[in-house]
Amino acid sequence: MKELKIKNYIGEAADTIQKTVQEHNNLTFIAPTGSGKSSTIFSKEYGKPIFQMLNEEHGDNHITVMLETTTIKQEKDNRTYQHINLFCGRKGVSVPDIKKLMNGEFEYSYQDKVIVTNYAYAVQVITVLNELGLNYSLIFDEIHTLCLYQYKNKDLKKLSRIIKIHPPMTIMNLSATMEKSFLRNSHIVEFKRLAKRKINTTLNKMGNRNFSQTIIDFCGNHFKNRYSNNGEEIPLLFVFFNSTKELNKIRGDIESKSGYASSILLTRNHKHEDYFELIINAGSDEESFDKKVKIVLTTSISEDSIDFRTSRDVTVLYVVAEEYFLNVYGLKQFCGRFREKEEIDLHIIIKKSAPSEEFGERYKTDFSPHSLQSMYDGNFNWNRKKLVDKQSRLFDRRMERVNMIINDNMTETEKESIRRFYTHGLEDNSECMITNWLAAQNTHKEMVNKVIGITNLRNELIRQFGDTINIVEDNLQLEETPMPKGNGLTKQDKEIERDIGEKINKYFSLETLNELIILRESNWEHEFEEYEWKPRGILRKELKEQFPDLTKKEINSKISELREKNKHWLNQIHSEVQRKYIIDLLDTYKVIDDLPMEFTEQELRKLLITKDYVQTKEDILGGTYRKNRLGLVRRKSDVNKDINRLCIKDIIQRFIESNNPNHYERIYNEYPALTVELCDLTVLSEWVKSFESEDKFINDNKPKKNTFYMDNHRELRNLYGELKELNLKMDITKPTSRAMLLMSVVDAKRTSMIRNGVSHKVYKIM
């Protein structure tokens, strides 16, 4: 292992890099994020790139293959370095292009003999190179992702096997956070910067609070404290929480609590946004964020291949919803994304997890950073030994089976064929890459679930960041607050829910709903009239004729069962589970009943009850049978979505019938609170009136293929994904602005219809 000091970029040690590449065929570069690892591989501006060194070292019959983990990284490199060949999915070169490239049909120089692909296509690329009889070198970018997460293990197993069959001339690994013990037989060169970034860190336990509310309160306090300062510029706040759905949900509350500070979402679902392109393409002397942006809500997409450049101070809130989600490697990568920032304020909030079913209780011992490193190293060696031994034992058992099958009458070819059939893939795996990768994944999983959590988070941060991290405040070891009891239902409770749900379905009517209301208002004490039942004497006589072998006691038991079944079903509501189920139904029904709209009994059933269905089950003998199941009461959230759509439709229809804008506000206020502003509904009603019939105002599940979308792509770009649910709150905060933009879309549609002279589909609105 060699350690080198650099000022900013690893290219400063170009001579050492070239010498290392020439001397070693298995090497690893560990360097900080943003230190130019990719530039050293591809760039021709600052001397000879590594791919050219490899091609020259191994001759004309050689090509360099770079494996990258993310599409963003691949596209970014493809834009920056025009001479590389991107091969993944539908983009870049194809397999015939590789053949032409290496057969010399294109007059490419050494500088062009480099392919960038991903792990899904790596096997295909190597197979083609082998068919052409070509040598290759393999570069793994962000190698730590393969060793820390179960990252497409199926693809990795194929890749490991083909590497063993057709080994590369040189293997190179690149990473900023790789565990050195995971790199067996690799020459490691570690680059360290002379100037170190200072990370001021505050650690807090979340306790029994809701993490969403914790984020909202933190953002509110952050801006409240900053606004009180005299003219001081507010730091750019990054909220890292690995849940796109939750960030979407709380974004509005965060902006409201923060004094309506402008925010953006930086997730995989927002790559089409203009601000995302600005961040990706920002140069070293440019700002990645508009000055209006005060809050950036992001997920794990920011851990890899995205650079943040800002002159403002930076505060990071890093939220870990459960201890076993803790990923200090990802945190280290994320903190490295802030280019040229000498200091960062980092706040980590972590929630205690319940004991894992697989690993049990965590160790309560406080391990030092050195002890944690020793545990990583020792556990990796142990897990690797277990995998190798397991494969060896399985190979021995298979060979015993083979020896029982083969006989002297078989030819050597037949014997070898049988041996290969039974032992394929079980050959000596002691030096296979997949063995090391799986052992590393198991080690990481064990350490996170058993050792590193709230107890050892502080020391793990020190182990990873070294002396760059400054623990300002540590509130992890405070006395535990009791966790609230979960609201999960037992198997028995679920059966009770299903039973009452099926009965509500069976007896559903307006009269039944009124009876349920009466029962609830009487505090569950009201007795309903029983169904008709036969006298005991008649029942006893019928049962004796039907079951002549029953004793008197058994007949009396059957009579009791029959009479219990003949009770009114509402008189059998006793458990809290049944009552809560009915209360939820009645609360939803009250919302519907309060609407200024009328519903038939059939429409109510459609809103409140799911459809009946047929369930296929397996019997004891292994056969299957079909069972008709009644639908149950729908969830509140699902019903509320339908109610919102119905309200919007009804309001628009009333606007059209009224045709008097002075009455619109009164009509709008008759309905419950909606996410859609009055001005938006006004515009939509005008839009509907512009068409010949309301039937044209239809849903379209594929808006990108919609003619309207294609004709007005520029106008709809910022509204895509929001228009279809009428949640028009992306970058347009003022209702009047949204109305004007919608009106411009309406006008564009009308112009399009007149110009083309044909009828188009309508973009999805409701």
Side-chain angles (χ1 to χ4, degrees):
M1 176 178 166
K2 183 182 291 186
E3 187 174 303
L4 297 175
K5 298 290 185 180
I6 57 173
K7 186 178 180 181
N8 289 311
Y9 304 104
I10 65 175
E12 298 163 16
D15 294 339
T16 306
I17 290 173
Q18 184 168 0
K19 185 179 178 181
T20 305
V21 170
Q22 291 171 348
E23 292 178 353
H24 300 276
N25 61 4
N26 190 336
L27 65 155
T28 300
F29 287 170
I30 298 178
T33 54
S35 59
K37 294 187 289 293
S38 296
S39 299
T40 310
I41 301 294
F42 299 127
S43 178
K44 295 184 275 188
E45 293 184 19
Y46 307 104
K48 189 180 294 184
I50 288 178
F51 83 85
Q52 186 176 348
M53 298 179 194
L54 293 170
N55 289 339
E56 291 179 353
E57 177 73 19
H58 300 301
D60 293 346
N61 204 34
H62 178 272
I63 190 169
T64 302
V65 180
M66 174 89 157
L67 302 182
E68 295 183 339
T69 54
T70 65
T71 306
I72 294 176
K73 172 72 170 171
Q74 293 159 6
E75 293 175 348
K76 182 180 177 182
D77 285 345
N78 195 36
R79 286 195 302 267
T80 308
Y81 312 107
Q82 298 294 325
H83 53 277
I84 69 174
N85 301 285
L86 179 62
F87 179 53
C88 54
R90 293 168 291 176
K91 297 183 179 180
V93 298
S94 62
V95 174
D97 289 331
I98 299 176
K99 293 179 180 179
K100 290 179 182 179
L101 166 66
M102 298 310 301
N103 285 336
E105 295 179 25
F106 296 147
E107 295 181 359
Y108 287 155
S109 61
Y110 287 119
Q111 286 85 343
D112 297 308
K113 289 185 179 179
V114 57
I115 291 174
V116 175
T117 186
N118 55 32
Y119 293 95
Y121 284 85
V123 174
Q124 187 178 356
V125 172
I126 296 172
T127 302
V128 172
L129 296 179
N130 179 62
E131 288 174 358
L132 296 171
L134 302 172
N135 297 324
Y136 71 99
S137 291
L138 203 55
I139 302 175
F140 292 89
D141 189 32
E142 306 294 356
I143 185 66
H144 62 275
T145 58
L146 310 187
C147 299
L148 300 180
Y149 324 116
Q150 293 179 345
Y151 179 85
K152 298 183 179 179
N153 280 345
K154 186 176 180 181
D155 291 332
L156 295 183
K157 287 178 181 178
K158 293 179 181 178
L159 177 60
S160 176
R161 178 159 183 80
I162 198 167
I163 288 174
K164 186 172 182 180
I165 297 172
H166 311 297
M169 304 298 290
T170 298
I171 292 177
M172 178 181 287
N173 304 311
L174 304 176
S175 178
T177 55
M178 186 62 179
E179 292 288 343
K180 301 178 187 66
S181 58
F182 295 173
L183 298 164
R184 288 174 54 86
N185 305 323
S186 183
H187 178 75
I188 301 172
V189 180
E190 186 172 12
F191 299 85
K192 292 188 176 181
R193 283 196 174 109
L194 294 171
K196 297 179 179 178
R197 175 183 289 129
K198 186 178 180 182
I199 303 175
N200 303 314
T201 308
T202 301
L203 307 176
N204 282 300
K205 260 192 308 194
M206 197 179 298
N208 57 7
R209 296 197 64 202
N210 178 280
F211 50 79
S212 298
Q213 191 59 45
T214 302
I215 296 173
I216 295 168
D217 291 344
F218 179 91
C219 295
N221 293 332
H222 173 80
F223 283 92
K224 181 180 178 182
N225 297 335
R226 297 290 178 174
Y227 279 132
S228 62
N229 295 340
N230 297 324
E232 185 178 328
E233 187 177 24
I234 301 173
L236 185 59
L237 175 61
F238 282 78
V239 177
F240 184 101
F241 184 50
N242 209 16
S243 172
T244 302
K245 181 179 179 181
E246 199 62 36
L247 289 178
N248 271 307
K249 189 188 299 182
I250 64 177
R251 181 184 178 186
D253 293 332
I254 289 174
E255 290 183 346
S256 174
K257 196 82 171 180
S258 306
Y260 298 98
S262 178
S263 68
I264 60 172
L265 276 165
L266 202 61
T267 72
R268 299 185 192 281
N269 297 338
H270 296 81
K271 290 191 288 187
H272 64 281
E273 300 292 349
D274 290 337
Y275 61 75
F276 201 104
E277 292 293 326
L278 174 65
I279 295 169
I280 294 293
N281 298 320
S284 57
D285 57 344
E286 297 176 334
E287 287 279 330
S288 298
F289 304 96
D290 190 284
K291 285 293 183 182
K292 295 178 182 178
V293 175
K294 307 297 182 186
I295 307 172
V296 180
L297 309 174
T298 187
T299 60
S300 59
I301 192 174
S302 297
E303 293 176 353
D304 188 13
S305 310
I306 299 180
D307 298 338
F308 300 138
R309 304 182 188 279
T310 178
S311 58
R312 288 180 275 177
D313 292 338
V314 171
T315 299
V316 175
L317 173 63
Y318 193 88
V319 182
V320 185
E322 297 284 353
E323 276 179 295
Y324 51 79
F325 291 154
L326 179 63
N327 177 16
V328 180
Y329 302 92
L331 173 60
K332 188 176 180 181
Q333 290 272 350
F334 179 63
C335 290
R337 297 292 140 201
F338 300 96
R339 302 297 190 235
E340 301 164 6
K341 297 303 297 180
E342 297 179 357
E343 190 170 353
I344 295 174
D345 290 335
L346 172 64
H347 298 261
I348 300 176
I349 299 178
I350 183 171
K351 190 167 187 175
K352 184 174 179 59
S353 303
S356 166
E357 292 184 5
E358 183 178 355
F359 296 95
E361 288 278 359
R362 279 185 174 78
Y363 295 143
K364 297 182 179 179
T365 308
D366 187 6
F367 295 100
S368 66
H370 178 73
S371 298
L372 290 173
Q373 186 63 61
S374 300
M375 293 179 75
Y376 259 104
D377 299 345
N379 285 347
F380 171 74
N381 292 330
W382 171 246
N383 280 313
R384 189 178 176 283
K385 183 178 182 302
K386 283 198 303 183
L387 285 171
V388 173
D389 291 347
K390 180 181 178 181
Q391 291 287 76
S392 299
R393 289 194 300 271
L394 184 56
F395 181 81
D396 292 341
R397 288 200 299 271
R398 293 280 182 88
M399 284 304 298
E400 289 177 5
R401 177 69 174 168
V402 169
N403 293 332
M404 293 173 62
I405 295 174
I406 62 176
N407 54 59
D408 296 336
N409 296 328
M410 293 181 179
T411 63
E412 288 300 321
T413 304
E414 291 173 335
K415 291 178 181 179
E416 183 59 31
S417 177
I418 292 173
R419 287 193 193 98
R420 181 164 179 75
F421 177 79
Y422 277 93
T423 61
H424 180 69
L426 295 177
E427 299 86 352
D428 180 23
N429 285 305
S430 58
E431 295 305 325
C432 272
M433 285 185 166
I434 190 63
T435 304
N436 295 333
W437 292 335
L438 293 177
Q441 289 174 11
N442 293 337
T443 301
H444 175 66
K445 189 176 179 182
E446 288 172 5
M447 291 294 290
V448 170
N449 283 276
K450 197 68 178 175
V451 182
I452 301 168
I454 286 177
T455 306
N456 286 290
L457 175 56
R458 179 192 181 95
N459 289 329
E460 175 64 7
L461 289 170
I462 295 172
R463 184 183 80 88
Q464 289 279 359
F465 287 88
D467 56 2
T468 62
I469 198 161
N470 175 31
I471 309 293
V472 178
E473 187 178 349
D474 182 359
N475 298 319
L476 294 181
Q477 307 308 325
L478 297 178
E479 186 177 349
E480 292 287 347
T481 54
M483 298 295 290
K485 185 179 179 182
N487 59 354
L489 297 174
T490 64
K491 187 175 180 180
Q492 183 179 1
D493 290 342
K494 289 179 180 178
E495 290 177 355
I496 293 173
E497 274 198 350
R498 168 159 289 283
D499 180 65
I500 187 66
E502 289 182 343
K503 283 183 177 176
I504 291 174
N505 183 341
K506 181 179 178 181
Y507 299 110
F508 185 86
S509 64
L510 291 173
E511 183 182 351
T512 299
L513 291 171
N514 291 329
E515 288 178 338
L516 289 171
I517 293 171
I518 293 170
L519 183 63
R520 180 184 180 182
E521 290 176 348
S522 69
N523 198 22
W524 313 100
E525 294 179 357
H526 185 85
E527 291 287 333
F528 293 92
E529 184 179 349
E530 304 288 354
Y531 301 121
E532 292 184 5
W533 44 273
K534 298 177 182 178
R536 179 178 289 270
I538 296 175
L539 282 174
R540 184 181 290 111
K541 183 178 179 182
E542 290 179 353
L543 288 171
K544 277 186 178 180
E545 293 175 356
Q546 191 175 355
F547 306 102
D549 298 333
L550 291 182
T551 63
K552 185 176 181 181
K553 186 176 181 180
E554 290 171 339
I555 288 176
N556 288 334
S557 297
K558 276 198 170 292
I559 292 173
S560 300
E561 289 176 9
L562 290 172
R563 287 202 162 182
E564 184 66 28
K565 288 181 180 179
N566 287 332
K567 281 186 177 181
H568 194 292
W569 68 282
L570 289 178
N571 290 341
Q572 302 175 45
I573 306 298
H574 304 300
S575 74
E576 288 299 323
V577 176
Q578 292 173 317
R579 291 172 181 175
K580 184 179 182 306
Y581 198 80
I582 292 173
I583 289 172
D584 288 344
L585 169 67
L586 294 179
D587 288 346
T588 308
Y589 173 63
K590 187 177 186 305
V591 173
I592 299 173
D593 195 44
D594 290 341
L595 294 175
M597 304 157 60
E598 292 190 5
F599 297 91
T600 64
E601 187 174 300
Q602 193 61 33
E603 289 171 337
L604 279 175
R605 171 185 281 277
K606 188 176 179 180
L607 275 173
L608 295 172
I609 308 294
T610 61
K611 292 181 179 179
D612 299 345
Y613 63 99
V614 178
Q615 186 178 29
T616 304
K617 285 194 171 186
E618 190 172 317
D619 57 26
I620 301 174
L621 301 176
T624 58
Y625 64 94
R626 294 161 65 85
K627 183 176 181 181
N628 293 325
R629 303 302 296 262
L630 296 177
L632 307 180
V633 175
R634 295 179 70 199
R635 293 182 299 178
K636 282 184 180 179
S637 58
D638 293 336
V639 178
N640 286 335
K641 287 179 183 178
D642 285 346
I643 290 174
N644 283 335
R645 293 190 183 98
L646 290 171
C647 287
I648 292 169
K649 247 186 160 178
D650 198 58
I651 290 173
I652 290 175
Q653 185 59 40
R654 290 181 65 182
F655 282 3
I656 294 170
E657 293 171 357
S658 170
N659 203 24
N660 186 351
N662 296 326
H663 297 163
Y664 286 3
E665 187 172 0
R666 176 185 57 77
I667 295 172
Y668 180 77
N669 291 333
E670 292 178 14
Y671 293 81
L674 298 172
T675 57
V676 190
E677 299 289 346
L678 171 61
C679 56
D680 298 329
L681 293 176
T682 303
V683 172
L684 288 174
S685 65
E686 293 299 318
W687 195 356
V688 174
K689 283 192 288 186
S690 70
F691 299 113
E692 293 177 359
S693 71
E694 194 176 352
D695 295 333
K696 290 185 180 180
F697 205 54
I698 58 173
N699 290 335
D700 188 347
N701 294 326
K702 297 180 179 178
K704 279 197 172 181
K705 294 183 179 180
N706 196 300
T707 312
F708 180 44
Y709 180 84
M710 291 187 288
D711 288 345
N712 305 284
H713 178 71
R714 187 170 296 175
E715 290 84 353
L716 289 173
R717 187 172 183 181
N718 290 332
L719 289 176
Y720 172 59
E722 301 295 322
L723 269 175
K724 57 183 178 181
E725 293 296 341
L726 279 176
N727 181 14
L728 312 174
K729 296 182 180 178
M730 288 185 68
D731 298 322
I732 311 163
T733 53
K734 293 183 179 179
T736 52
S737 301
R738 294 204 304 278
M740 289 176 65
L741 183 54
L742 259 178
M743 186 62 80
S744 70
V745 174
V746 173
D747 291 338
K749 175 60 183 174
R750 289 172 177 167
T751 305
S752 173
M753 290 184 69
I754 295 170
R755 184 179 69 248
N756 297 331
V758 294
S759 177
H760 293 286
K761 286 184 180 178
V762 181
Y763 186 73
K764 177 179 179 181
I765 290 297
M766 62 177 80

